[in-house]
Amino acid sequence: MKAADLDYALPPELIAQRPLARRDRSRLLVYERASGAVEHRRFDALPDELPPETLTVVNDTRVIPARLRLERPGGGDAEVLLLERLGQNGLWEGLARPSRKLKAGQRLGPVELVEPLGEGRWRLRLEGEPAGEAPLPPYIHEPLADAERYQTVYAEQEGSAAAPTAGLHFTREVLERLDVERVTLHVGLDTFRPVSVADLAEHELHSERYEVSERAWERIRDAPCVLAVGTTTVRVLESLARGAPLEGRSELFVLPGFEFRRVDALLTNFHLPRSTLLALVMAFAGVEETRRLYRLAIEELYRFYSFGDAMLLL
């Protein structure tokens, strides 16, 4: 697949800058793959759109307050974005900037830079627990009044550098009308990193940690119909369906032509151009059908990206 296949033009005003006052009042584009039919619903109608006996699988990761605004020795601003805890001794992997002005051994407040890892990444040591800001994506320019709005209502297992945004639409009222199972995958920034090579076969997708209980996998494996909430959940379920252990790291890169073995339906947000997330959606719904659905969503003024609206692919 070529990176150019993931391009589309989006009017900037359709990039949602803030969450809606009520999560489940977002819009929901419903697409049935067998018939090609499209419906425009509200998110709280999700339970009515699902086939009988659908098991809804969510990713219960919790976003850490990972963005640390710091000061360099001698003056000047610095910023560290924590990506992943590397052990129990305060070691983390993170992004630090301005990277060219930093060096191993420097201290930035509670952070000690240990070793550069390339591409702005560092192995670092943090004193105490993360106490920064919610790591909002760069296309959101407005401050978030309530940091909990960048968490799902079922977020539990702390460890993500970004939210599994398809889950941001759920309220407890909607969840009560569904049969729900949980998995955990801690989202790294590489999930959202734009594709910078011409051919996706050359794009390196870094692995992400996941964990699934034996009971949860038994329910998921035996369910008549599985709805995966978000692309991160897809990566977990399809990794396990290929024999991966219940705990580990997923390196699964889903591109058109992929054989889905356990995901029957997908709930997802509208993703950035040239993203691996959009490639996954195209693998599930079809390349041309996804393009058609995105054109329709733009015509219908759906809200895009993290705080935007959702799409249900049946």
Side-chain angles (χ1 to χ4, degrees), residues 69-84:
R69 300 186 189 276
L70 306 166
E71 186 174 312
R72 301 201 313 273
D77 293 334
E79 183 176 294
V80 168
L81 183 63
L82 301 172
L83 296 178
E84 183 176 346

Side-chain angles (χ1 to χ4, degrees), residues 2-253:
K2 302 302 181 185
D5 297 333
L6 299 169
D7 280 334
Y8 68 91
L10 180 70
E13 61 270 19
L14 295 185
I15 300 174
Q17 292 297 312
R18 66 186 75 87
L20 296 179
R22 184 172 170 88
R23 294 171 183 259
D24 61 8
R25 294 299 190 264
S26 56
R27 297 170 70 190
L28 180 66
L29 190 156
V30 182
Y31 171 64
E32 187 176 63
R33 290 183 294 170
S35 66
V38 173
E39 290 185 84
H40 302 286
R41 304 295 301 275
R42 201 169 69 178
F43 189 84
D44 55 7
L46 173 70
D48 303 323
E49 294 293 331
L50 299 177
E53 300 186 87
T54 295
L55 181 63
T56 298
V57 184
V58 301
N59 179 7
D60 68 357
T61 188
R62 186 170 179 81
V63 183
I64 59 177
R67 189 180 300 279
L68 309 177
R69 300 186 189 276
L70 306 166
E71 186 174 312
R72 301 201 313 273
D77 293 334
E79 183 176 294
V80 168
L81 183 63
L82 301 172
L83 296 178
E84 183 176 346
R85 194 188 297 267
L86 299 179
Q88 298 303 315
N89 55 355
L91 282 178
W92 288 76
E93 180 181 337
L95 293 171
R97 62 181 185 182
S99 195
R100 291 191 301 274
K101 297 185 178 181
L102 302 176
K103 58 184 179 180
Q106 268 187 324
R107 290 195 66 88
L108 308 171
V111 172
E112 178 191 357
L113 299 175
V114 176
E115 177 188 6
L117 301 175
E119 298 182 329
R121 293 173 179 264
W122 287 80
R123 189 186 312 276
L124 54 88
R125 182 172 283 107
L126 174 69
E127 290 181 5
E129 291 300 307
E133 306 169 12
L136 294 179
Y139 50 77
I140 294 178
H141 307 299
E142 297 187 11
L144 189 58
D146 178 7
E148 282 300 304
R149 293 307 307 273
Y150 195 56
Q151 305 279 8
T152 63
V153 297
Y154 46 77
E156 191 171 290
Q157 308 296 331
E158 193 169 81
S160 275
T165 56
L168 295 178
H169 308 276
F170 285 90
T171 58
R172 302 200 183 280
E173 291 80 2
V174 171
L175 289 170
E176 287 171 359
R177 298 166 58 201
L178 298 167
D179 184 10
V180 178
E181 193 52 82
R182 295 168 174 243
V183 300
T184 304
L185 180 138
H186 295 308
V187 187
L189 288 187
D190 280 334
T191 290
F192 301 94
R193 185 165 52 102
V195 175
S196 59
V197 293
D199 192 322
L200 265 72
E202 300 173 8
H203 180 79
E204 182 184 4
L205 188 67
H206 289 251
S207 64
E208 293 171 314
R209 288 184 296 123
Y210 71 87
E211 184 176 355
V212 183
S213 72
E214 185 174 349
R215 174 188 170 277
W217 176 237
E218 288 175 356
R219 292 194 69 213
I220 294 164
R221 183 190 60 208
D222 298 337
C225 179
V226 168
L227 168 66
V229 175
T231 57
T232 59
T233 301
V234 171
R235 293 186 74 203
V236 177
L237 300 189
E238 293 298 328
S239 293
L240 294 184
R242 284 157 173 75
L246 293 176
E247 181 176 355
R249 303 188 71 93
S250 174
E251 298 178 343
L252 197 64
F253 193 177

Side-chain angles (χ1 to χ4, degrees), residues 1 4-10 29-33 36-38 40 231 254-257 260 266 268-299 302 304 310-314:
M1 187 178 199
D5 297 333
L6 299 169
D7 280 334
Y8 68 91
L10 180 70
L29 190 156
V30 182
Y31 171 64
E32 187 176 63
R33 290 183 294 170
V38 173
H40 302 286
T231 57
V254 180
L255 297 171
F260 289 86
L266 172 62
T268 184
N269 279 19
F270 294 96
H271 301 293
L272 277 75
R274 295 213 173 207
S275 66
T276 59
L277 309 182
L278 181 55
L280 186 151
V281 174
M282 287 179 166
F284 191 79
V287 174
E288 292 306 321
E289 283 305 291
T290 302
R291 289 191 180 123
R292 179 175 77 88
L293 294 171
Y294 270 55
R295 287 194 299 268
L296 178 61
I298 292 169
E299 291 169 6
Y302 275 71
F304 276 60
M311 179 164 61
L312 174 64
L313 304 170
L314 296 170

